[in-house]
Amino acid sequence: MTESKVKKAISIRFDPAEYASYAAMVESAEMSVSDGLRLLVAEKLAQAEQVDMTGLEICCQFKWKAIDSAFPEHVANLLLEVKAPGGISEGLLQRLVFVLPEFWTDAGYEHLRIDSAYFHRVTDDYHYKTSTKAKRNVMSFHLIDSHWRGAVFDYGSGLSRQAREARIIEALTAHISQTIRCYLIDHLPTARVLPEELHREMISVYDKEQITNLMKL
């Protein structure tokens, strides 16, 4: 395969002032902006390879439901538990903002969906995320006591229970682990980390017993 077929052109939006400052810096050093960005990507990839993720554990537990004629698409409830790697504290883990993975077919149909229980949702203007593909509720969530509870919806996927579990586990594991990895190499946007004060406010309405009950499937 030729080199021209390997390369991929991309379009990136920059803040005009930041772009001008960056361009002035690298061009004064006799580099192009493209050269500078390629160096940044290579540097982050090298850092990512060196990150110690020892200790990270991500476990998913499903509780499948009997068919409910009122809500037949709600097929299961899901409990996620995360143990942080050595490089990140349990307290910081609770403040990371994660984003629900989506499950779309090649034909553009959302055949599976997972959604957060209301108490996990991150809804403030600066930190929340919504789907870019469909009109739906907020996608951003945070852990509580290192757990996340949600629901599984099936819109005619035709997949077996085992296949649905496998896809959901794979997507959640990849997202959680790579979000943590990006944080550890200082490559996660500030909007993806809740300030301590805001996080305290969000969970202050729950005591330990309430949290325990909330996390029951």
Side-chain angles (χ1 to χ4, degrees):
M1 184 178 291
T2 65
E3 185 179 6
S4 62
K5 291 182 179 180
V6 174
K7 292 180 179 179
K8 181 179 180 180
I10 60 173
S11 176
I12 305 174
R13 293 182 179 179
F14 287 95
D15 176 274
E18 291 180 349
Y19 180 85
S21 295
Y22 183 77
M25 178 182 70
V26 295
E27 288 171 358
S28 293
E30 292 300 323
M31 292 191 299
S32 68
V33 171
S34 296
D35 288 338
L37 293 177
R38 280 192 288 268
L39 286 171
L40 287 173
V41 170
E43 177 186 350
K44 286 302 174 183
L45 288 174
Q47 291 177 5
E49 290 180 359
Q50 297 300 316
V51 167
D52 185 2
M53 300 289 282
T54 302
L56 175 64
E57 295 183 20
I58 302 170
C59 301
C60 293
Q61 180 183 350
F62 292 83
K63 185 176 181 180
W64 292 89
K65 294 165 52 68
I67 296 177
D68 184 343
S69 58
F71 301 102
E73 67 276 7
H74 181 192
V75 295
N77 292 319
L78 170 61
L79 184 65
L80 174 78
E81 180 180 5
V82 181
K83 293 184 179 179
I88 188 172
S89 69
E90 290 293 334
L92 190 282
L93 179 66
Q94 318 310 310
R95 295 195 291 115
L96 294 182
V97 177
F98 299 100
V99 182
L100 293 171
E102 297 182 84
F103 304 89
W104 293 77
T105 66
D106 292 339
Y109 177 68
E110 187 183 23
H111 61 153
L112 280 177
R113 176 184 292 187
I114 58 176
D115 198 8
S116 298
Y118 70 92
F119 42 85
H120 287 291
R121 294 172 184 161
V122 176
T123 58
D124 71 289
D125 290 342
Y126 183 65
H127 299 92
Y128 85 106
K129 290 276 189 179
T130 56
S131 173
T132 60
K133 296 181 179 180
K135 293 182 179 179
R136 58 173 297 186
N137 292 332
V138 64
M139 305 280 288
S140 42
F141 69 92
H142 71 101
L143 303 177
I144 298 179
D145 200 20
S146 298
H147 289 75
W148 170 84
R149 188 163 72 81
V152 180
F153 300 88
D154 190 306
Y155 302 106
S157 72
L159 298 172
S160 68
R161 180 178 296 182
Q162 292 74 17
R164 286 176 287 182
E165 287 189 2
R167 291 195 182 190
I168 292 168
I169 291 171
E170 180 182 18
L172 281 171
T173 299
H175 175 67
I176 297 291
S177 61
Q178 297 304 340
T179 297
I180 292 173
R181 188 184 302 274
C182 284
Y183 175 82
L184 290 174
I185 64 171
D186 195 23
H187 202 55
L188 198 65
T190 56
R192 296 287 299 280
V193 183
L194 296 169
E196 291 185 39
E197 184 176 351
L198 175 59
H199 180 254
R200 281 196 300 268
E201 180 182 335
M202 292 169 66
I203 65 171
S204 63
V205 296
Y206 308 112
D207 59 29
K208 190 68 175 178
E209 182 178 356
Q210 287 174 312
I211 291 174
T212 299
N213 290 330
L214 289 172
M215 294 306 154
K216 291 180 180 178
L217 280 177

